[in-house]
Amino acid sequence: MRRDSIGAMRYRAMNVKRTFLWCLFLVGLVVSERCGDGYCKCKRAEKVATCMSKKRQLNYFPTLPSYVQQLKYSGNYLPNLTRDSLINMTRLNLTGLNLDNNMMKNVDPNAFEDLIYLVKLQISHDKILNGNILASALHNVSRSVEKLVLQHNKWDWIPDNVFDGLNGSNVYYIDLSYNNLRSFNGTRLLLKIPRLKYLILDENPLSHSDIDFHNMEYMFKISLQNTYIQKVPTFCDGNGESFLPRLRSLYLDRSSMKSVSRDDFPGRCLPFLWKLSLSFSDISSIQNDTFAGLPVLKYLLLQNMVKLRLLDYFAFHSASLELLNLGSSKFKFVYKGRYNNDLFKFTPNMNNLSLFDNQITDGSTLKTLLWHLVRLQKLNLQSCDLNYLARGTFDRMLDLRIIILKGNSLYGWDPDMFSKLSNLNTLYLSGNNIAVVNRTSLEFIAKINLEYIDLANNPLACSCQQLWFRDWLKESKNITVPHYPSRYVCRSPPEWDKKMLASFNYTEEDCREKNPWILIGSVLGSVVFVCMVVVIVIYTHLPTVRNIIYLIRLRRKGYVRLVNSEEYMFDCYVVSCETDEHWVFQTLYSTLEDEYAFHLCIPSRDFDVGESKADQIEEKMKESKKIIIVMSNDFAQDEWCQFQLEKAQERIRNQGKEAVVLIMLRDIDHKHMTSTIKNLLRKSSYATWVKGKIATKLFWDIVVAAIEKPFGNPPVAI
């Protein structure tokens, strides 16, 4: 009996499988069918035929079904294309003809003459086809042709008259991408088709001086991606008249430009430009008012600009800009010297901002950066290393509809973080470090009528604190929760690791504590343990703790750059002994000058040879805003260091303790401690050099804060 049932089950399974395969076969027949003497595949629904042959066996145009309107003829052998060759195509209402990689050598002048319905003609991957032959063939092409695609032919040049035969035609689109063109002269090439609207010249070795924009008065879009352009081309003639008065879109992606400024995009030359793309370029800096002169610019694409290091104060100044994509540029917003907090203050109409895959990290930095964007509707902050969101970050952005925060390091959010965003309908929080979601975390949903929330791929904890969220996911009906339940997986405790939250079967009764004294004992034991750990950590990391306290006191009243910075030649004068110069050049110099853009005066580098050392010390100190003193045992024993220390104390007496930044590179032994150094350390705080990823970052935060702190507001000594 059991064997019979098993056999029946197998028989039914085989029938299901057989039926499924037949369905797939029938669907394939509906989607495509063999045609054209068996060389082609035709799709009735799309009215498309594709003719390809193995080993280039096909050398003619076979008869095709009458419904075919577009033909891709690729990988065949067609050395001579004649009018008679296309006789079978004249029986069709052919609107699109794609001739790709057919080893064409000759094309008769009247080859395309009878294709009276042709709208798009493409000839590609035919490297041996001569440009002069093509020119004669285009002379008799149907006047109905609107699009001409001549890409991947590796042509070094095209004759000046190649498009002359299109005079009076409807051609508005020409694509010459993926060739080897080293120049493009609009004066000659476009003489007969001045009403061209779209020109694609991507992937050609063109430089900015090899492009002539004459005869492009009606151009809407120009694409010059991945060329040899090293500076923005000139879009005006010698009299200041625009070559491209109607241009709407300009693509200069993957160029070799190093920087851009206002002179590159004058408004009189591009009066109607509303979309500009500079993505994947080598630009390292964007100067003030670069885009301010473009009166109708709405979309600015600066994606994947990984060499970008500096954004000037007015870099994005634009009254018309609505969308900015700076995604995947790896820009380090953690370095304050590379941009200004008011970076977006002068883009009042911005409603779509993408900053994904840049380094922001700090929630306070994000809040300050977004403060002026009150009209924002979409914000993409995916993978920005954000570890928290400052309270009130989005409170001013009442028009926000979409917020993307996935792929960060968020552990949670303030209960009121989104409660004021009455227009918010989509929120992405997947891929963070969220372990527990409680009732207060999602109370805002009912207030703002959120339609979509993504909390997938977070390391959820299957604990009693998660019961409410588990039940909410199962019962929520008025909101879309994507990827539930498959990607809502527990990662703790160990017994629930990698199990779906939906299978977490604890009840309220299971979570109710039977003996309260056990809970009290556990809490007290935990408190004692934590206190012991804190004492041990503080004792073993005393320099780091000292640095933290110093940084807190430095920032207690905030700091800004010195107002009178223009009076000094250097930001800092560095005092160090010869033994410590290796650290000064390898670490101090490379960090402060290269990463934070401070200008240091280092005696061994900046002093003039042969001049009085004492005189130069006084002169260079006067030319420096602040003095950095790098202390160690060798420093305490160096006579010149002591001389410079006395000069530094004169500066302290005149300008206060903020005039000097003290760095303890290595602790000074008691026997080497001089009264001058001891007195200085007693009255002033100092930063202690500590290695380690977090400790080193903290050290540089202190040094930068001390350098930028204004005079007259001394920190309290530790």
Side-chain angles (χ1 to χ4, degrees), residues 176-180 201-205 224-227 254:
L176 288 164
S177 58
Y178 294 92
N179 285 291
N180 283 328
L201 294 170
D202 301 341
E203 302 286 341
N204 283 287
L224 292 164
Q225 302 184 59
N226 204 12
T227 61
R254 301 182 187 275

Side-chain angles (χ1 to χ4, degrees), residues 236-253:
C236 276
D237 61 20
N239 298 320
E241 296 294 328
S242 175
F243 291 127
L244 306 162
R246 294 176 176 83
L247 191 68
R248 300 292 188 271
S249 302
L250 176 61
Y251 293 82
L252 296 171
D253 306 60

Side-chain angles (χ1 to χ4, degrees), residues 422-618:
S422 58
N423 291 306
L424 186 66
N425 55 51
T426 304
L427 178 60
Y428 293 87
L429 287 162
S430 58
N432 281 280
N433 290 328
I434 300 168
V436 175
V437 182
N438 52 40
R439 186 189 303 271
T440 58
S441 300
L442 298 182
E443 278 183 346
F444 70 91
I445 292 179
K447 298 178 183 179
I448 66 174
N449 296 317
L450 194 72
E451 299 174 2
Y452 182 104
I453 185 169
D454 185 0
L455 287 159
N457 300 326
N458 277 291
L460 299 174
C462 277
S463 64
C464 292
Q465 293 176 298
Q466 205 75 276
L467 292 184
W468 179 88
F469 184 51
R470 178 202 63 186
D471 296 339
W472 180 85
L473 286 171
K474 292 180 179 179
E475 298 169 2
S476 58
K477 298 179 180 179
N478 298 325
I479 186 171
T480 301
V481 184
H483 312 302
Y484 176 79
S486 60
R487 296 189 185 179
Y488 287 72
V489 178
C490 299
R491 299 311 306 268
S492 64
E495 59 268 25
W496 284 97
D497 187 27
K498 298 182 180 179
K499 295 180 180 179
M500 288 192 295
L501 178 62
S503 67
F504 182 53
N505 56 7
Y506 278 29
T507 65
E508 294 287 349
E509 183 66 24
D510 295 328
C511 293
R512 191 173 292 115
E513 185 61 61
K514 303 298 183 181
N515 187 350
W517 290 107
I518 296 177
L519 177 62
I520 295 173
S522 300
V523 171
L524 291 177
S526 300
V527 170
V528 173
F529 176 78
V530 169
C531 291
M532 293 178 62
V533 171
V534 169
V535 171
I536 294 172
V537 169
I538 291 176
Y539 181 79
T540 55
H541 296 84
L542 188 58
T544 302
V545 173
R546 184 188 296 273
N547 281 344
I548 293 173
I549 297 173
Y550 185 13
L551 182 60
I552 292 173
R553 292 180 175 178
L554 274 174
R555 291 181 171 176
R556 181 173 295 168
K557 295 184 180 181
Y559 58 89
V560 296
R561 283 193 175 273
L562 299 179
V563 176
N564 58 344
S565 60
E566 68 276 3
E567 298 177 5
Y568 299 95
M569 181 178 296
F570 302 98
D571 291 302
C572 296
Y573 176 94
V574 181
V575 179
S576 65
C577 63
E578 185 176 355
T579 308
D580 298 332
E581 279 194 349
H582 177 76
W583 181 86
V584 168
F585 280 101
Q586 294 296 319
T587 305
L588 185 72
Y589 163 82
S590 62
T591 302
L592 293 184
E593 287 210 352
D594 294 344
E595 295 185 15
Y596 291 93
F598 289 116
H599 189 196
L600 305 181
C601 177
I602 304 174
S604 60
R605 181 191 67 177
D606 298 311
F607 278 14
D608 296 327
V609 179
E611 299 291 331
S612 170
K613 187 173 183 179
D615 292 341
Q616 289 194 81
I617 288 173
E618 290 189 6

Side-chain angles (χ1 to χ4, degrees), residues 11 67 74 123 180 243 288 363 368-369 381 477 492 606 640:
Y11 178 76
Y67 63 77
S74 176
I123 299 175
N180 283 328
F243 291 127
N288 286 327
T368 304
L369 196 63
L381 296 169
K477 298 179 180 179
S492 64
D606 298 311
W640 277 112

Side-chain angles (χ1 to χ4, degrees), residues 2 45 64 90 109 132 182 206 218 288 310 348 356 393 408 416 444 511 513 601 604 679 693 706:
R2 187 175 180 182
L64 297 173
T90 61
N132 289 316
R182 300 187 180 277
L206 296 163
Y218 291 90
N288 286 327
L310 179 64
F356 61 89
T393 296
N408 286 289
D416 295 324
F444 70 91
C511 293
E513 185 61 61
C601 177
S604 60
N679 184 53
K693 184 176 181 180

